[in-house]
Amino acid sequence: MKPIYLDYAATTPTHPEVVKAMLPYFTEVFGNPSSIYSYGLEAKEALEQARAKVANLIGARDEEIVFTSGGTEADNSALKGVALANESKGNHIITSSIEHHAVSETCKFLEKRGFQVTYLPVDEYGLVNPEDVKKAITVKTILISIMYGNNEVGTIEPIAEIGQIAKEAKVYFHTDAVQTVGHIPIAVDELGVNLLSMSAHKLYGPKGVGALYVRKGTRLVPFLHGGDQEKKRRATTENVPGIVGFGAAAEMAQREMGQEAQRLTHLRDRLIKGILERIEDVRLNGHPKRRLPNNVNISFNFVEGESILLNLDLEGICVSTGSACTSASLEPSAVLLAMGLSHELAHGSLRMTLGKWTTEEEINQVLEVLPRVIAKLRAMSPLMKK
Amino acid sequence: MPENVRTLYSEKVMEHFRNPRNVGDMEKPDGIGHVGNPVCGDIMELYIKVKDNTIVDAKFKTFGCGAAIATSSMVTEMVKGKTIAEALEISNRAVAEALGGLPPIKMHCSVLAEEALKSAIDDYYAKRK
Ligand code: FES
């Protein structure tokens, strides 16, 4: 039997339809889009069609989409790009304490180069308070970067409210929407963002391709210097097959998102409810309602996440955890700690993220296996007092 | 183990992880070791029963990763039948080797096992005085 995959937030399989759309661009239409003969022009055309599809998915104009190698590059380019281009205006950046490493590590890097960064706290659900953003703004503030949907706990941040505040203060606003794009409807104008990061492999596109939405007029330095590609914003020969795949995935998401979000929300809530009913001493992490349709994150008291994960793997279920034991730094998830969880609860956290191929039967299977695994581990836990 | 499951651990580690030996409480132990892992925050408890200077039984409880559970299981197996002096010779490397090795990032978990054993022996001495 194929293992049950419940880690769609880590990556999604590339949809067969997407692969099919990509294939000709490896072999037949292999031209360099910068070349002006037929092979090149055909590739260029495909590139621009894909750009239109991605733009369409988030309500942007085509020329506001800059393709990148993924979400991490989009985040890096947004932050460093704005910081370097606006140094003369100020050196202050506002972000949250639950950002993806692609944002938080970039902020730390910028701090070492003389920028000042405010890391806003979050509440127990992982929500940033827009009022805190407002209060943190100074004359020196050049950028606000707050993620849209959190990759670990699924909490959806009040982006539109923050966008309004940023607009009034005339400060650039970036959001990392890697987990959100293609999963819930997005319109950049409603959000009031200047910059928005996306990644293709989180919405059934290929790995190695993403994009940064850059609102017209936003000042930032080029991501890569060199040729004239991407209107001189990012040099390097374009990853045509990857970008075509991103376009196909964006088109598919636009078509299916509404129904799929409903289906996943139903499965998500069944899984959450099922676990809360069957297992004692558990805690749902993240917001119960303001939550990505596919995210379940639960802490199990008295047990450690890697040993839950391994036991589930042996039973053919693939999940992830915020436990210190599975991170290279041996630090527990910073997101969970920022939400006020103790080390122990962060240790026993499990993330299950659902997707296109998740079925009702799979959820039933998890609900059958998980209580057994937790009971087994609790029986050997010194924290479990009889 | 089903063939299609691949893990970061050796087969021996996974075997002990799946079927840990000597799990649970012990009635009236002669020594109790209780240690916390300063690296990642995990906890191990080890209980020993001693007769004529020989460890006749050992049990454990562990809150930790796969390597922590497997090394606890292995160390309890290794000490049984050993004299106290012999048991004190058991190093974390020996435990890891007996398990067919551990990934480098998991060696600190075997240190926890060694320390739990030493702490249990210390407790045994302290109680005898
Ligand atoms: S006990 Fe935490 S890494 Fe092994």
Side-chain angles (χ1 to χ4, degrees), chain A residues 304 306 323-326 330 347, chain B residues 9 37 39-43 62-69 105-106 108-110 112:
Chain A
E304 185 280 324
E306 186 200 283
S323 168
C325 298
T326 55
L330 294 168
H347 238 71
Chain B
Y9 294 124
N37 190 337
V39 184
C40 60
D42 295 340
I43 297 164
T62 292
F63 166 67
C65 72
I69 290 172
I105 194 171
K106 294 293 184 179
H108 71 101
C109 317
S110 64
L112 193 64

Side-chain angles (χ1 to χ4, degrees), chain A residues 167-198:
Chain A
K167 208 184 236 168
E168 280 161 21
K170 297 204 170 58
V171 175
Y172 286 152
F173 181 28
H174 164 252
T175 190
D176 174 341
V178 165
Q179 294 291 339
T180 335
V181 170
H183 299 285
I184 59 176
I186 290 184
V188 285
D189 284 344
E190 277 166 36
L191 296 177
V193 292
N194 300 83
L195 301 142
L196 180 144
S197 304
M198 350 176 202

Side-chain angles (χ1 to χ4, degrees), chain B residues 66-82:
Chain B
I69 290 172
T71 50
S72 322
S73 166
M74 184 48 103
V75 81
T76 53
E77 283 287 274
M78 288 169 81
V79 293
K80 278 202 232 170
K82 291 226 161 55

